[in-house]
Amino acid sequence: MLDYIALGMVLREPLTGYDIKKEIEKGIGLFYTVSYGSLYPALKKLTAKGYLTMTEQPQGSRVKKYYAATELGKATFLEWLSSPFEPTPSSAPLLAKIYFFGELPEDMRRRQLKECELYYQQVLRKLQIMEKRFADLTMTDRIYFELSTLYFGLQHFQNSVRWFGHISEKKPLSEFIRKEDTI
C-alpha cells in the first residue's frame, strides 16, 4: 500500500521524503500512517524498480533528495488505481485508493465506486441476518457487548453504502453529513 501512496504523492511534483510524509499526514493521515523508517526504504525500492527518480539539490549546507514519478511509475500507479476493488477488513486501503480517484476518468471512478457500494451492501445484508439471530436471546452482559459491536458494524456499513452513492454522483460533500449526525 505504501508504495502506491508514495507514487500518488509525487505524481504532480517532486517531493522530498519529509514532504511526502507531511502530505500523507495532511491528506490521508486520519486512516493511514507512515513512519520515516518505512517510507525511506519504500522510496529506495521504488527508485530501484524505475518507478521514481531521485535528484539531489543542495539547500544551504544540506543536500535534499527529491523524488518524482517516472512514466513507468505513473502507469503502475494508474493501473493500481483503476484495478478492481479488493475487499479487506480494514477501510484504510480502500480510502487510500479513493483519496487518489481524482486521477481517474469519471467512468472508471464510477465503476470502482459502484463495485465498492455493492460489496458493502452484501456485508450489510449479512450483518442484518446476524442481527436477527440475537432477537430471541436473553440479554446478558456478554450478549449486550457482542450485539453492540454488531450495531457498530451495521451503522458503519449503512453509512458507507450511503457515502459511496453520494460521492459517485459527486454531490456536495457538506450534504452528506446530516444535521442530526453532528455532535
Side-chain angles (χ1 to χ4, degrees):
M1 178 62 53
L2 177 55
D3 292 356
Y4 296 115
I5 291 172
L7 281 169
M9 291 295 167
V10 297
L11 279 181
R12 292 191 186 104
E13 65 179 324
L15 297 172
T16 65
Y18 175 84
D19 294 332
I20 293 168
K21 185 173 183 323
K22 291 300 171 201
E23 286 297 311
I24 290 171
E25 289 171 355
K26 263 185 359 191
I28 60 177
L30 288 174
F31 55 88
Y32 189 86
T33 58
V34 65
S35 68
Y36 290 115
S38 59
L39 177 60
Y40 284 109
L43 293 173
K44 186 176 182 179
K45 179 179 75 174
L46 290 167
T47 303
K49 286 183 172 182
Y51 297 153
L52 295 177
T53 59
M54 188 274 294
T55 56
E56 295 181 340
Q57 295 182 5
Q59 192 163 35
S61 62
R62 300 179 61 201
V63 175
K64 288 191 172 189
K65 295 178 180 180
Y66 284 85
Y67 297 89
T70 63
E71 289 304 315
L72 177 62
K74 288 176 187 175
T76 300
F77 174 79
L78 291 174
E79 182 180 317
W80 165 75
L81 193 59
S82 60
S83 66
F85 167 64
E86 294 177 26
T88 65
S90 168
S91 296
L94 172 65
L95 292 174
K97 202 171 189 180
I98 291 172
Y99 180 84
F100 294 108
F101 267 21
E103 303 295 330
L104 288 177
E106 186 159 347
D107 62 326
M108 193 174 290
R109 213 175 20 229
R110 280 180 179 266
R111 186 173 62 248
Q112 293 274 45
L113 290 170
K114 190 62 178 171
E115 286 176 18
C116 294
E117 183 179 359
L118 290 173
Y119 170 76
Y120 273 63
Q121 286 172 345
Q122 287 175 341
V123 173
L124 181 57
R125 282 191 290 277
K126 288 177 184 176
L127 292 174
Q128 289 165 337
I129 290 167
M130 287 175 63
E131 179 187 26
K132 290 178 184 174
R133 293 184 193 145
F134 279 90
D136 296 329
L137 297 176
T138 303
M139 189 60 67
T140 64
D141 282 350
R142 190 184 116 230
I143 298 296
Y144 176 84
F145 287 103
E146 288 177 7
L147 192 57
S148 71
T149 61
L150 174 65
Y151 277 96
F152 177 86
L154 283 165
Q155 184 69 38
H156 169 73
F157 282 93
Q158 286 169 348
N159 272 335
S160 296
V161 167
R162 194 167 66 83
W163 179 72
F164 285 120
H166 193 90
I167 66 170
S168 67
E169 295 178 22
K170 288 180 59 179
K171 292 180 179 177
L173 295 172
S174 60
E175 292 176 5
F176 179 72
I177 304 293
R178 295 181 270 204
K179 289 184 179 163
E180 63 269 13
D181 291 341
T182 58
I183 296 174

Tab-separated table of all heavy atoms in Angstrom, residues 19-72:
chain	number	residue	atom	x	y	z
A	19	ASP	N	8.632	15.773	2.797
A	19	ASP	CA	7.423	16.360	2.215
A	19	ASP	C	6.346	15.302	1.967
A	19	ASP	O	5.157	15.562	2.178
A	19	ASP	CB	7.737	17.060	0.888
A	19	ASP	CG	8.634	18.275	1.058
A	19	ASP	OD1	8.609	18.903	2.138
A	19	ASP	OD2	9.376	18.593	0.098
A	20	ILE	N	6.763	14.126	1.514
A	20	ILE	CA	5.808	13.045	1.256
A	20	ILE	C	5.114	12.656	2.559
A	20	ILE	O	3.885	12.522	2.612
A	20	ILE	CB	6.509	11.826	0.615
A	20	ILE	CG1	7.003	12.178	-0.790
A	20	ILE	CG2	5.564	10.617	0.581
A	20	ILE	CD1	7.947	11.151	-1.405
A	21	LYS	N	5.889	12.496	3.623
A	21	LYS	CA	5.297	12.132	4.920
A	21	LYS	C	4.328	13.213	5.387
A	21	LYS	O	3.237	12.914	5.869
A	21	LYS	CB	6.387	11.906	5.964
A	21	LYS	CG	5.824	11.406	7.302
A	21	LYS	CD	6.920	11.031	8.263
A	21	LYS	CE	6.473	10.470	9.573
A	21	LYS	NZ	5.307	10.970	10.212
A	22	LYS	N	4.689	14.466	5.218
A	22	LYS	CA	3.807	15.564	5.636
A	22	LYS	C	2.524	15.582	4.801
A	22	LYS	O	1.437	15.842	5.324
A	22	LYS	CB	4.527	16.926	5.529
A	22	LYS	CG	5.627	17.092	6.540
A	22	LYS	CD	5.079	16.997	7.950
A	22	LYS	CE	6.179	16.933	8.971
A	22	LYS	NZ	5.766	16.378	10.235
A	23	GLU	N	2.628	15.304	3.507
A	23	GLU	CA	1.440	15.251	2.634
A	23	GLU	C	0.521	14.108	3.056
A	23	GLU	O	-0.696	14.255	3.048
A	23	GLU	CB	1.837	15.094	1.169
A	23	GLU	CG	2.397	16.355	0.548
A	23	GLU	CD	1.394	17.500	0.517
A	23	GLU	OE1	0.245	17.290	0.073
A	23	GLU	OE2	1.764	18.618	0.937
A	24	ILE	N	1.113	12.984	3.409
A	24	ILE	CA	0.307	11.853	3.879
A	24	ILE	C	-0.410	12.241	5.163
A	24	ILE	O	-1.617	12.003	5.307
A	24	ILE	CB	1.186	10.593	4.083
A	24	ILE	CG1	1.649	10.055	2.717
A	24	ILE	CG2	0.427	9.516	4.862
A	24	ILE	CD1	2.695	8.949	2.796
A	25	GLU	N	0.294	12.856	6.097
A	25	GLU	CA	-0.314	13.278	7.363
A	25	GLU	C	-1.436	14.272	7.130
A	25	GLU	O	-2.483	14.200	7.778
A	25	GLU	CB	0.745	13.880	8.285
A	25	GLU	CG	1.709	12.851	8.842
A	25	GLU	CD	2.892	13.471	9.578
A	25	GLU	OE1	3.041	14.724	9.598
A	25	GLU	OE2	3.694	12.692	10.120
A	26	LYS	N	-1.227	15.210	6.197
A	26	LYS	CA	-2.247	16.219	5.897
A	26	LYS	C	-3.464	15.628	5.206
A	26	LYS	O	-4.588	16.055	5.431
A	26	LYS	CB	-1.667	17.290	4.952
A	26	LYS	CG	-1.187	18.516	5.602
A	26	LYS	CD	-0.717	19.612	4.666
A	26	LYS	CE	-0.746	19.375	3.191
A	26	LYS	NZ	-0.045	20.365	2.401
A	27	GLY	N	-3.226	14.679	4.313
A	27	GLY	CA	-4.307	14.179	3.481
A	27	GLY	C	-4.997	12.949	4.011
A	27	GLY	O	-6.152	13.002	4.421
A	28	ILE	N	-4.303	11.832	4.025
A	28	ILE	CA	-4.942	10.575	4.404
A	28	ILE	C	-4.492	10.095	5.778
A	28	ILE	O	-4.734	8.954	6.158
A	28	ILE	CB	-4.698	9.481	3.333
A	28	ILE	CG1	-3.213	9.208	3.136
A	28	ILE	CG2	-5.357	9.853	2.034
A	28	ILE	CD1	-2.927	8.100	2.143
A	29	GLY	N	-3.890	10.982	6.537
A	29	GLY	CA	-3.342	10.632	7.838
A	29	GLY	C	-4.351	10.168	8.866
A	29	GLY	O	-3.976	9.528	9.840
A	30	LEU	N	-5.623	10.471	8.673
A	30	LEU	CA	-6.625	10.008	9.624
A	30	LEU	C	-6.822	8.498	9.561
A	30	LEU	O	-7.226	7.878	10.527
A	30	LEU	CB	-7.971	10.703	9.368
A	30	LEU	CG	-8.025	12.166	9.761
A	30	LEU	CD1	-9.347	12.781	9.324
A	30	LEU	CD2	-7.860	12.317	11.263
A	31	PHE	N	-6.549	7.907	8.405
A	31	PHE	CA	-6.752	6.472	8.278
A	31	PHE	C	-5.526	5.723	7.787
A	31	PHE	O	-5.551	4.511	7.650
A	31	PHE	CB	-7.945	6.163	7.358
A	31	PHE	CG	-7.844	6.790	5.997
A	31	PHE	CD1	-7.194	6.137	4.970
A	31	PHE	CD2	-8.401	8.025	5.751
A	31	PHE	CE1	-7.092	6.711	3.730
A	31	PHE	CE2	-8.315	8.599	4.501
A	31	PHE	CZ	-7.653	7.938	3.486
A	32	TYR	N	-4.429	6.438	7.557
A	32	TYR	CA	-3.199	5.769	7.134
A	32	TYR	C	-2.014	6.534	7.698
A	32	TYR	O	-1.899	7.741	7.486
A	32	TYR	CB	-3.101	5.720	5.597
A	32	TYR	CG	-1.948	4.851	5.136
A	32	TYR	CD1	-2.112	3.492	4.982
A	32	TYR	CD2	-0.691	5.399	4.909
A	32	TYR	CE1	-1.053	2.682	4.587
A	32	TYR	CE2	0.375	4.601	4.514
A	32	TYR	CZ	0.179	3.247	4.359
A	32	TYR	OH	1.220	2.449	3.984
A	33	THR	N	-1.157	5.836	8.427
A	33	THR	CA	0.030	6.479	8.988
A	33	THR	C	1.277	5.815	8.426
A	33	THR	O	1.256	4.646	8.046
A	33	THR	CB	0.050	6.391	10.528
A	33	THR	OG1	0.006	5.020	10.910
A	33	THR	CG2	-1.124	7.130	11.139
A	34	VAL	N	2.328	6.584	8.384
A	34	VAL	CA	3.598	6.086	7.859
A	34	VAL	C	4.721	6.653	8.718
A	34	VAL	O	4.629	7.777	9.224
A	34	VAL	CB	3.771	6.470	6.376
A	34	VAL	CG1	3.876	7.971	6.183
A	34	VAL	CG2	4.975	5.784	5.762
A	35	SER	N	5.752	5.861	8.899
A	35	SER	CA	6.938	6.321	9.630
A	35	SER	C	8.055	6.538	8.617
A	35	SER	O	8.031	5.973	7.518
A	35	SER	CB	7.367	5.284	10.664
A	35	SER	OG	7.854	4.115	10.008
A	36	TYR	N	9.038	7.326	9.001
A	36	TYR	CA	10.201	7.503	8.128
A	36	TYR	C	10.920	6.164	7.937
A	36	TYR	O	11.473	5.901	6.887
A	36	TYR	CB	11.170	8.539	8.709
A	36	TYR	CG	10.633	9.950	8.654
A	36	TYR	CD1	10.364	10.658	9.811
A	36	TYR	CD2	10.402	10.569	7.430
A	36	TYR	CE1	9.870	11.953	9.760
A	36	TYR	CE2	9.906	11.865	7.361
A	36	TYR	CZ	9.638	12.548	8.541
A	36	TYR	OH	9.149	13.820	8.475
A	37	GLY	N	10.856	5.310	8.972
A	37	GLY	CA	11.504	4.007	8.914
A	37	GLY	C	10.911	3.080	7.861
A	37	GLY	O	11.574	2.156	7.405
A	38	SER	N	9.676	3.309	7.480
A	38	SER	CA	9.077	2.512	6.396
A	38	SER	C	9.064	3.288	5.078
A	38	SER	O	9.156	2.688	4.002
A	38	SER	CB	7.664	2.065	6.767
A	38	SER	OG	6.835	3.168	7.030
A	39	LEU	N	8.979	4.613	5.156
A	39	LEU	CA	8.899	5.421	3.935
A	39	LEU	C	10.204	5.408	3.144
A	39	LEU	O	10.200	5.157	1.931
A	39	LEU	CB	8.508	6.865	4.278
A	39	LEU	CG	8.449	7.834	3.092
A	39	LEU	CD1	7.424	7.367	2.056
A	39	LEU	CD2	8.134	9.238	3.563
A	40	TYR	N	11.325	5.659	3.799
A	40	TYR	CA	12.587	5.765	3.055
A	40	TYR	C	12.998	4.456	2.378
A	40	TYR	O	13.427	4.483	1.220
A	40	TYR	CB	13.694	6.342	3.934
A	40	TYR	CG	13.534	7.841	4.104
A	40	TYR	CD1	13.146	8.392	5.304
A	40	TYR	CD2	13.737	8.703	3.023
A	40	TYR	CE1	12.973	9.764	5.450
A	40	TYR	CE2	13.571	10.075	3.153
A	40	TYR	CZ	13.188	10.599	4.366
A	40	TYR	OH	13.014	11.950	4.487
A	41	PRO	N	12.833	3.304	3.024
A	41	PRO	CA	13.112	2.057	2.291
A	41	PRO	C	12.164	1.861	1.087
A	41	PRO	O	12.581	1.360	0.043
A	41	PRO	CB	12.896	0.961	3.334
A	41	PRO	CG	13.137	1.639	4.640
A	41	PRO	CD	12.628	3.044	4.454
A	42	ALA	N	10.909	2.274	1.239
A	42	ALA	CA	9.956	2.165	0.125
A	42	ALA	C	10.387	3.065	-1.031
A	42	ALA	O	10.350	2.655	-2.202
A	42	ALA	CB	8.546	2.528	0.589
A	43	LEU	N	10.834	4.282	-0.726
A	43	LEU	CA	11.297	5.200	-1.772
A	43	LEU	C	12.527	4.636	-2.480
A	43	LEU	O	12.649	4.720	-3.706
A	43	LEU	CB	11.597	6.584	-1.181
A	43	LEU	CG	10.393	7.354	-0.651
A	43	LEU	CD1	10.845	8.619	0.069
A	43	LEU	CD2	9.416	7.683	-1.773
A	44	LYS	N	13.420	4.049	-1.707
A	44	LYS	CA	14.625	3.443	-2.282
A	44	LYS	C	14.243	2.290	-3.215
A	44	LYS	O	14.773	2.168	-4.328
A	44	LYS	CB	15.537	2.944	-1.152
A	44	LYS	CG	16.872	2.432	-1.619
A	44	LYS	CD	17.749	2.061	-0.436
A	44	LYS	CE	19.107	1.589	-0.920
A	44	LYS	NZ	19.989	1.244	0.178
A	45	LYS	N	13.311	1.451	-2.776
A	45	LYS	CA	12.854	0.312	-3.581
A	45	LYS	C	12.168	0.796	-4.863
A	45	LYS	O	12.424	0.269	-5.950
A	45	LYS	CB	11.895	-0.548	-2.758
A	45	LYS	CG	11.340	-1.747	-3.513
A	45	LYS	CD	10.421	-2.583	-2.648
A	45	LYS	CE	9.106	-1.865	-2.493
A	45	LYS	NZ	8.078	-2.618	-1.790
A	46	LEU	N	11.304	1.803	-4.752
A	46	LEU	CA	10.597	2.336	-5.925
A	46	LEU	C	11.575	2.953	-6.925
A	46	LEU	O	11.380	2.852	-8.141
A	46	LEU	CB	9.548	3.367	-5.489
A	46	LEU	CG	8.345	2.803	-4.738
A	46	LEU	CD1	7.543	3.926	-4.093
A	46	LEU	CD2	7.466	1.983	-5.662
A	47	THR	N	12.615	3.576	-6.421
A	47	THR	CA	13.649	4.143	-7.288
A	47	THR	C	14.413	3.027	-8.000
A	47	THR	O	14.650	3.100	-9.208
A	47	THR	CB	14.604	5.035	-6.467
A	47	THR	OG1	13.837	6.051	-5.809
A	47	THR	CG2	15.651	5.696	-7.357
A	48	ALA	N	14.757	1.983	-7.266
A	48	ALA	CA	15.489	0.848	-7.852
A	48	ALA	C	14.671	0.154	-8.935
A	48	ALA	O	15.221	-0.328	-9.928
A	48	ALA	CB	15.875	-0.149	-6.764
A	49	LYS	N	13.350	0.120	-8.767
A	49	LYS	CA	12.477	-0.517	-9.759
A	49	LYS	C	12.218	0.377	-10.976
A	49	LYS	O	11.602	-0.058	-11.943
A	49	LYS	CB	11.125	-0.873	-9.125
A	49	LYS	CG	11.183	-2.051	-8.196
A	49	LYS	CD	9.782	-2.360	-7.692
A	49	LYS	CE	9.742	-3.645	-6.913
A	49	LYS	NZ	8.381	-3.973	-6.457
A	50	GLY	N	12.637	1.636	-10.897
A	50	GLY	CA	12.424	2.552	-12.012
A	50	GLY	C	11.100	3.291	-11.961
A	50	GLY	O	10.716	3.962	-12.923
A	51	TYR	N	10.387	3.218	-10.839
A	51	TYR	CA	9.103	3.911	-10.688
A	51	TYR	C	9.284	5.371	-10.277
A	51	TYR	O	8.425	6.198	-10.503
A	51	TYR	CB	8.225	3.221	-9.656
A	51	TYR	CG	7.828	1.805	-10.003
A	51	TYR	CD1	7.528	0.894	-9.001
A	51	TYR	CD2	7.738	1.359	-11.316
A	51	TYR	CE1	7.153	-0.412	-9.293
A	51	TYR	CE2	7.371	0.064	-11.623
A	51	TYR	CZ	7.079	-0.813	-10.609
A	51	TYR	OH	6.698	-2.091	-10.904
A	52	LEU	N	10.422	5.649	-9.648
A	52	LEU	CA	10.746	7.007	-9.199
A	52	LEU	C	12.147	7.369	-9.674
A	52	LEU	O	12.995	6.495	-9.867
A	52	LEU	CB	10.735	7.105	-7.667
A	52	LEU	CG	9.442	6.908	-6.911
A	52	LEU	CD1	9.705	6.984	-5.408
A	52	LEU	CD2	8.399	7.925	-7.312
A	53	THR	N	12.354	8.667	-9.830
A	53	THR	CA	13.712	9.172	-9.987
A	53	THR	C	14.031	9.961	-8.727
A	53	THR	O	13.132	10.476	-8.059
A	53	THR	CB	13.853	10.115	-11.211
A	53	THR	OG1	12.954	11.221	-11.044
A	53	THR	CG2	13.567	9.379	-12.502
A	54	MET	N	15.310	10.040	-8.407
A	54	MET	CA	15.735	10.805	-7.248
A	54	MET	C	16.813	11.775	-7.711
A	54	MET	O	17.761	11.380	-8.387
A	54	MET	CB	16.280	9.869	-6.161
A	54	MET	CG	16.583	10.556	-4.827
A	54	MET	SD	18.215	11.304	-4.734
A	54	MET	CE	19.257	9.885	-4.812
A	55	THR	N	16.596	13.039	-7.403
A	55	THR	CA	17.609	14.047	-7.716
A	55	THR	C	18.006	14.740	-6.418
A	55	THR	O	17.169	14.951	-5.536
A	55	THR	CB	17.089	15.086	-8.729
A	55	THR	OG1	15.895	15.685	-8.217
A	55	THR	CG2	16.795	14.454	-10.075
A	56	GLU	N	19.269	15.080	-6.336
A	56	GLU	CA	19.763	15.771	-5.155
A	56	GLU	C	19.906	17.252	-5.471
A	56	GLU	O	20.429	17.611	-6.527
A	56	GLU	CB	21.103	15.178	-4.716
A	56	GLU	CG	20.984	13.742	-4.258
A	56	GLU	CD	22.313	13.161	-3.797
A	56	GLU	OE1	23.375	13.704	-4.159
A	56	GLU	OE2	22.282	12.154	-3.071
A	57	GLN	N	19.439	18.077	-4.561
A	57	GLN	CA	19.544	19.528	-4.730
A	57	GLN	C	20.126	20.129	-3.452
A	57	GLN	O	19.573	19.922	-2.370
A	57	GLN	CB	18.167	20.138	-5.014
A	57	GLN	CG	17.570	19.692	-6.323
A	57	GLN	CD	16.226	20.360	-6.590
A	57	GLN	OE1	15.784	21.226	-5.852
A	57	GLN	NE2	15.584	19.945	-7.662
A	58	PRO	N	21.245	20.869	-3.606
A	58	PRO	CA	21.819	21.497	-2.417
A	58	PRO	C	20.889	22.587	-1.880
A	58	PRO	O	20.250	23.314	-2.645
A	58	PRO	CB	23.122	22.117	-2.914
A	58	PRO	CG	23.204	21.863	-4.372
A	58	PRO	CD	21.988	21.126	-4.808
A	59	GLN	N	20.786	22.639	-0.574
A	59	GLN	CA	19.990	23.686	0.075
A	59	GLN	C	20.746	24.089	1.333
A	59	GLN	O	20.696	23.404	2.348
A	59	GLN	CB	18.585	23.194	0.392
A	59	GLN	CG	17.661	24.320	0.779
A	59	GLN	CD	16.208	23.890	0.687
A	59	GLN	OE1	15.868	22.760	0.965
A	59	GLN	NE2	15.363	24.806	0.297
A	60	GLY	N	21.479	25.196	1.213
A	60	GLY	CA	22.342	25.618	2.308
A	60	GLY	C	23.475	24.619	2.465
A	60	GLY	O	24.118	24.226	1.500
A	61	SER	N	23.682	24.149	3.678
A	61	SER	CA	24.759	23.185	3.928
A	61	SER	C	24.289	21.738	3.749
A	61	SER	O	25.064	20.815	3.915
A	61	SER	CB	25.290	23.374	5.355
A	61	SER	OG	24.253	23.118	6.283
A	62	ARG	N	23.018	21.568	3.400
A	62	ARG	CA	22.458	20.224	3.248
A	62	ARG	C	22.148	19.926	1.787
A	62	ARG	O	22.043	20.824	0.963
A	62	ARG	CB	21.165	20.116	4.055
A	62	ARG	CG	21.383	20.377	5.538
A	62	ARG	CD	20.120	20.298	6.327
A	62	ARG	NE	19.552	18.950	6.218
A	62	ARG	CZ	18.287	18.671	6.446
A	62	ARG	NH1	17.453	19.634	6.788
A	62	ARG	NH2	17.836	17.447	6.341
A	63	VAL	N	21.965	18.663	1.513
A	63	VAL	CA	21.532	18.219	0.190
A	63	VAL	C	20.199	17.499	0.372
A	63	VAL	O	20.095	16.562	1.169
A	63	VAL	CB	22.565	17.260	-0.453
A	63	VAL	CG1	22.035	16.710	-1.757
A	63	VAL	CG2	23.890	17.977	-0.662
A	64	LYS	N	19.181	17.966	-0.339
A	64	LYS	CA	17.865	17.337	-0.245
A	64	LYS	C	17.659	16.408	-1.429
A	64	LYS	O	18.046	16.719	-2.552
A	64	LYS	CB	16.760	18.396	-0.232
A	64	LYS	CG	16.700	19.165	1.059
A	64	LYS	CD	15.434	19.995	1.106
A	64	LYS	CE	15.257	20.606	2.472
A	64	LYS	NZ	13.945	21.224	2.618
A	65	LYS	N	17.024	15.268	-1.146
A	65	LYS	CA	16.698	14.301	-2.186
A	65	LYS	C	15.233	14.469	-2.563
A	65	LYS	O	14.351	14.348	-1.718
A	65	LYS	CB	16.943	12.882	-1.691
A	65	LYS	CG	18.391	12.578	-1.396
A	65	LYS	CD	18.558	11.159	-0.870
A	65	LYS	CE	20.025	10.877	-0.587
A	65	LYS	NZ	20.231	9.531	-0.086
A	66	TYR	N	15.005	14.742	-3.854
A	66	TYR	CA	13.648	14.900	-4.369
A	66	TYR	C	13.274	13.691	-5.208
A	66	TYR	O	14.058	13.236	-6.045
A	66	TYR	CB	13.532	16.168	-5.215
A	66	TYR	CG	13.481	17.421	-4.388
A	66	TYR	CD1	14.645	18.041	-3.946
A	66	TYR	CD2	12.260	17.979	-4.028
A	66	TYR	CE1	14.599	19.197	-3.175
A	66	TYR	CE2	12.202	19.127	-3.257
A	66	TYR	CZ	13.373	19.730	-2.834
A	66	TYR	OH	13.317	20.860	-2.068
A	67	TYR	N	12.064	13.203	-4.980
A	67	TYR	CA	11.571	12.035	-5.702
A	67	TYR	C	10.458	12.470	-6.651
A	67	TYR	O	9.604	13.275	-6.286
A	67	TYR	CB	11.036	10.983	-4.726
A	67	TYR	CG	12.108	10.463	-3.806
A	67	TYR	CD1	12.388	11.092	-2.588
A	67	TYR	CD2	12.872	9.362	-4.167
A	67	TYR	CE1	13.380	10.615	-1.752
A	67	TYR	CE2	13.875	8.887	-3.335
A	67	TYR	CZ	14.120	9.524	-2.132
A	67	TYR	OH	15.112	9.050	-1.315
A	68	ALA	N	10.477	11.915	-7.864
A	68	ALA	CA	9.453	12.201	-8.862
A	68	ALA	C	9.058	10.893	-9.538
A	68	ALA	O	9.887	9.988	-9.710
A	68	ALA	CB	9.983	13.190	-9.907
A	69	ALA	N	7.807	10.802	-9.940
A	69	ALA	CA	7.322	9.594	-10.614
A	69	ALA	C	7.823	9.571	-12.054
A	69	ALA	O	7.792	10.580	-12.750
A	69	ALA	CB	5.795	9.554	-10.587
A	70	THR	N	8.282	8.406	-12.481
A	70	THR	CA	8.650	8.214	-13.887
A	70	THR	C	7.382	7.839	-14.655
A	70	THR	O	6.318	7.630	-14.057
A	70	THR	CB	9.670	7.058	-14.019
A	70	THR	OG1	9.037	5.847	-13.581
A	70	THR	CG2	10.933	7.327	-13.209
A	71	GLU	N	7.490	7.730	-15.975
A	71	GLU	CA	6.333	7.290	-16.760
A	71	GLU	C	5.913	5.885	-16.334
A	71	GLU	O	4.721	5.591	-16.232
A	71	GLU	CB	6.640	7.338	-18.264
A	71	GLU	CG	6.731	8.755	-18.816
A	71	GLU	CD	5.480	9.599	-18.551
A	71	GLU	OE1	4.358	9.084	-18.745
A	71	GLU	OE2	5.622	10.764	-18.121
A	72	LEU	N	6.876	5.025	-16.064
A	72	LEU	CA	6.572	3.674	-15.581
A	72	LEU	C	5.879	3.738	-14.226
A	72	LEU	O	4.911	3.010	-13.974
A	72	LEU	CB	7.857	2.842	-15.485
A	72	LEU	CG	7.714	1.426	-14.917
A	72	LEU	CD1	6.791	0.573	-15.796
A	72	LEU	CD2	9.088	0.778	-14.785
